[in-house]
């Protein structure tokens, strides 16, 4: 059985993430979307909220499970018996950091491969930070997020001001 991990912060999940999760689910038998619990960051959404949002937007994909993890990604991958970490690459600017992470992971867990999937051109400008910035100033999020999440983020950011 081929099992993949799609890791990230997902604060919040964007159309770009969903595209990568969907394409990974086509390639593997089982996919774990792994949300990093990072105590040094101040996320907009709690881990529980991010899990719920991800479950909601992937509910039509049968072979996707949503979980959170702390510590090393490769330890989570090993616990799930996953042989591959899948990351979306948006632009050259992503490359250096992503390769650094991939080589680090390869060094500490040689049996686990990293696979880069080029992000859909429609979403190559997109990031969770950009989405939060646009939401903060009331911009149009309709090309960036599923409709259900637009309302959630607007309520959240509106509630923060
Ligand atoms: O969405 P992000 O913030 O770019 O995701 C980064 C993530 C979660 C993939 C990365 O920070 C990670 O794997 N963190 C876990 C700690 C780890 O395994 N570090 C070693 C590799 S650098």
């Amino acid at each position: 059985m081929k099992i993949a991990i799609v890791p990230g912060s997902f604060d919040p999940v964007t159309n770009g993430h969903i595209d990568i999760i969907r394409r990974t689910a086509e390639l593997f038998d089982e996919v774990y979307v792994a949300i990093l619990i990072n105590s040094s960051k101040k996320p907009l959404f709690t881990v529980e909220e991010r899990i719920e949002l991800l479950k909601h937007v992937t509910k039509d994909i049968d072979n996707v499970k949503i979980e959170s993890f702390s510590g090393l990604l490769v330890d989570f991958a090993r616990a799930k018996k996953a042989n591959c970490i899948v990351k979306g690459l948006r632009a050259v600017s992503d490359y250096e950091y992503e390769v650094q992470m991939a080589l680090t992971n390869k060094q500490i867990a040689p049996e686990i491969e990293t696979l880069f999937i080029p992000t859909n051109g429609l979403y190559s400008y997109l990031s969770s930070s950009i989405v939060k910035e646009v939401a903060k100033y009331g911009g149009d999020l309709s090309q960036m997020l599923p409709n259900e999440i637009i309302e959630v983020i607007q309520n959240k950011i509106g509630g923060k001001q």
Side-chain angles (χ1 to χ4, degrees):
M1 175 127 116
K2 294 284 180 200
I3 304 174
I5 309 284
V6 179
S9 304
F10 303 105
D11 186 39
V13 60
T14 67
N15 285 344
H17 295 129
I18 297 167
D19 177 64
I20 295 294
I21 294 167
R22 235 175 243 293
R23 288 157 68 192
T24 306
E26 295 278 331
L27 295 172
F28 290 84
D29 299 308
E30 204 160 278
V31 177
Y32 286 92
V33 176
I35 305 170
L36 176 68
I37 302 170
N38 186 349
S39 51
S40 63
K41 268 193 186 174
K42 269 202 132 204
L44 179 61
F45 292 95
T46 66
V47 170
E48 293 72 24
E49 286 170 331
R50 282 178 273 161
I51 289 176
E52 279 317 303
L53 291 176
L54 271 156
K55 280 188 175 166
H56 185 69
V57 298
T58 58
K59 60 181 185 301
D60 63 318
I61 320 173
D62 290 341
N63 56 340
V64 169
K65 292 193 173 110
I66 315 297
E67 296 204 10
S68 58
F69 77 103
S70 53
L72 288 178
L73 176 61
V74 291
D75 287 339
F76 178 80
R78 279 175 168 158
K80 298 298 173 192
K81 303 202 182 322
N83 37 23
C84 196
I85 293 165
V86 177
K87 302 292 303 274
L89 270 193
R90 288 168 298 197
V92 176
S93 50
D94 279 345
Y95 181 81
E96 200 173 339
Y97 180 55
E98 291 297 341
V99 168
Q100 186 181 23
M101 282 199 287
L103 293 179
T104 305
N105 289 333
K106 189 74 180 161
Q107 174 66 39
I108 52 186
E111 79 282 12
I112 299 173
E113 286 298 345
T114 296
L115 179 69
F116 294 127
I117 298 186
T119 304
N120 185 321
L122 288 173
Y123 308 128
S124 58
Y125 65 96
L126 200 48
S127 70
S128 297
S129 311
I130 288 282
V131 161
K132 284 181 272 195
E133 182 84 0
V134 174
K136 188 171 158 191
Y137 297 109
D140 178 10
L141 294 166
S142 61
Q143 304 303 309
M144 304 180 191
L145 300 175
N147 283 338
E148 316 88 272
I149 296 195
I150 294 177
E151 200 175 326
V152 176
I153 192 169
Q154 282 168 342
N155 288 340
K156 185 79 149 180
I157 288 193
K160 277 203 149 186
Q161 286 168 344

